Every structure is written in structure tokens, then in C-alpha cells.
Amino acid sequence: MQPEGGQEPQQPQEPQQPQEPVKENKPAPPPANPYELKNRPIPEQTKIIHFEVCKDCKAKHGFCTQHDELRYAQLYHSFQQKVEAAVPGTFCLVNYHTPKPSIGAFEITYQGKVIYSKKTTGLFPSVEATVQRIKNFLEDIEKGNDVAKYATMKEKKYEPPRDKKSKPGFQQYIKMKEEEFARQEAIKQEQERKRQEEERIQAEKAEEERKKREEEEAKRKAEEEEQKKKEAEEEEKKKAEEAAKQKEEGGEKKQEEGGEKKQEEGGEKKQEEGGEKKEGEKKEG
């Protein structure tokens, strides 16, 4: 088993073979399976940061929790890359001494000393802030400072400074109320002005529509009167034509009757003259 601290005992080397320089370990590439929590071979002369991460959430304790197993795994992989890149000579192991991690655990330790505890704080660690926390912890270890505070220390969340508003005095309070009242009155007056303007516009529109209807009605009546007048003139003209025609037909009839009468009178006169002539001849004989 790997001793606490992550440094394996060095094997004796032959004196004639020079020791190879320790290469700086590169950050681990992201895993193909995001749920995978596996450890790599431990390099020599590295500071091992241990992570205890909750796993198998659905299979083992899904009946009593609502843990997002993917979140735990992705957070560890983010820490693994960030820590090894930001802190030279470090190496991350996950669940190395705890094959059965605690439910909801996301614990970070070094040489058995707690750097961050989710079980204590009740919060997931922030990657950037906790990487800096690991740097500070390792510096305190090297300086021999007490690191017990890290076990219970919570991350400080940035909060923008708040403007402290001084409590207004009585005169200022009265002035604020008057300004608010004046503002409300101005709003009411503006609303009343808009209402009156809308009523005026609607009244003008209604008046225009009424005038338009009256003009259309007057025009319609004028057209009807004109049509009636034309019909009356046509009727009178038709009657005059019929009267002239009848008069003309009556004159022709009278002429015909007068001619017939003249013919009858001429015949009778001729007969009378013939009879008189015959009588005169008889007398002469």
C-alpha cells in the first residue's frame, strides 16, 4: 500500500548509473467516460492530493438521495487538471484509501490533513478558489504553520459592496412624501389630459362622420329629385307627343269626311241637273 503522503520508498540504485532527473508531470487528459474515477500510476517525488468522492449514487444510495453522480465525477476531473497544472509537483488520487467513500463526500486531504470537506461545509467546492486554497495549504505545511483551520474554513463568496443608505430625518421624510405626492399628481394630470385629448379626437371624428352622412343623404335626395324631375319631363313630353299625334290623326279624318261629303253633294247636284234637263227636253217636244 502507498504510504500517506504519496511517496513510495525509493529502490536502491547502482552507483555507476546516474539518476534520471524527475520530469514535471503533465495534467491528465479528460477521460473518455465522464463517470470514470480511476487512478493512474503514481510518479515519484510528488505531493499527492487525496480526493474522497461519492460514487455509484444511483446503484448504492439512489433510494434515499438525489445525488448527481455525473456532477461529482466531472468536478473531480476538473480539480485533477487544474491542481496538477497550477501546483507543480502535485498528483491527484481519487478514493485511494477509501474504496467505499461516504455518501455525499467530496473531501480533499494531504498527508491525512483536511484541506476541504463538503461534509463539514455542506457545499461543493469552487474549483478556482479551492486550487488557491490548496496552494496556501501546501505553503503553510512547508512553513510549519497550523493547518487545522482548513478543516472547518468555508469559502468566502464574493459579494459586491452594498451602499449604506442613511435613515432620512423627519424633514427629509416629509420632503420625500411631498415629492412623491407631486409626482403622483403629475401622473394623474397627464392621464387626465390624455383622456380628454382622446375624447376630443373621438368627438371630432364622430362629428366628421355625421357631416359626411348628412352630405351623402343630401346628395342622395338631390339625385332622387333630379331623377323624379327627369321622369316628369319625359312623361309630359310623351303626353305632348301623344296629343299631337292624336290631333294630327283627327285632322286627317276630318279631311277625309269632308271630301266624301263634297263628292256626295256633287253627285246629287248632277242628278238634279240631269233631271231638270230631261224635263226641259220633254217640254220642248
Side-chain angles (χ1 to χ4, degrees), residues 35-47:
Y35 289 95
E36 185 179 17
L37 292 176
K38 289 186 178 181
N39 291 314
R40 299 159 291 157
I42 303 173
E44 297 179 354
Q45 298 181 359
T46 53
K47 298 176 182 178

Side-chain angles (χ1 to χ4, degrees), residues 135-152:
K135 285 183 181 181
N136 298 337
F137 181 91
L138 295 177
E139 289 177 0
D140 287 342
I141 287 286
E142 291 178 358
K143 294 176 181 178
N145 297 333
D146 183 18
V147 293
K149 61 181 180 179
Y150 287 90
T152 57

Side-chain angles (χ1 to χ4, degrees), residues 217-251:
E217 184 68 17
K219 186 177 179 181
R220 185 183 62 80
K221 289 182 178 180
E223 289 176 354
E224 289 179 355
E225 292 292 334
E226 185 68 21
Q227 184 67 22
K228 288 180 180 180
K229 187 176 180 180
K230 286 182 179 180
E231 290 176 357
E233 289 178 355
E234 290 178 357
E235 185 70 21
E236 290 178 358
K237 186 177 179 182
K238 188 176 180 181
K239 288 180 179 180
E241 289 176 354
E242 289 179 355
K245 187 176 180 181
Q246 290 177 359
K247 187 176 181 180
E248 185 178 352
E249 289 176 353

Side-chain angles (χ1 to χ4, degrees), residues 1 52-53 55-56 60 94-102:
M1 181 178 290
E52 180 185 353
V53 180
K55 66 177 183 177
D56 299 330
K60 298 296 179 64
V94 58
N95 297 334
Y96 188 78
H97 296 304
T98 54
K100 294 182 179 180
S102 304

Side-chain angles (χ1 to χ4, degrees), residues 10 18-27 40-47 84 87-91:
Q10 297 182 358
Q19 184 178 0
E20 295 182 358
V22 178
K23 297 182 179 180
E24 185 177 350
N25 55 312
K26 297 181 179 180
R40 299 159 291 157
I42 303 173
E44 297 179 354
Q45 298 181 359
T46 53
K47 298 176 182 178
E84 293 179 2
V87 187
T90 56
F91 187 80

Side-chain angles (χ1 to χ4, degrees), residues 164-177 179:
K164 295 183 179 180
K165 296 182 179 180
S166 59
K167 189 176 180 180
F170 180 75
Q171 296 295 334
Q172 188 177 1
Y173 175 79
I174 294 299
K175 185 178 180 180
M176 289 170 58
K177 285 295 182 181
E179 290 176 353

Side-chain angles (χ1 to χ4, degrees), residues 55-67:
K55 66 177 183 177
D56 299 330
C57 301
K58 294 182 180 179
K60 298 296 179 64
H61 50 268
F63 67 95
C64 62
T65 63
Q66 295 181 351
H67 290 171

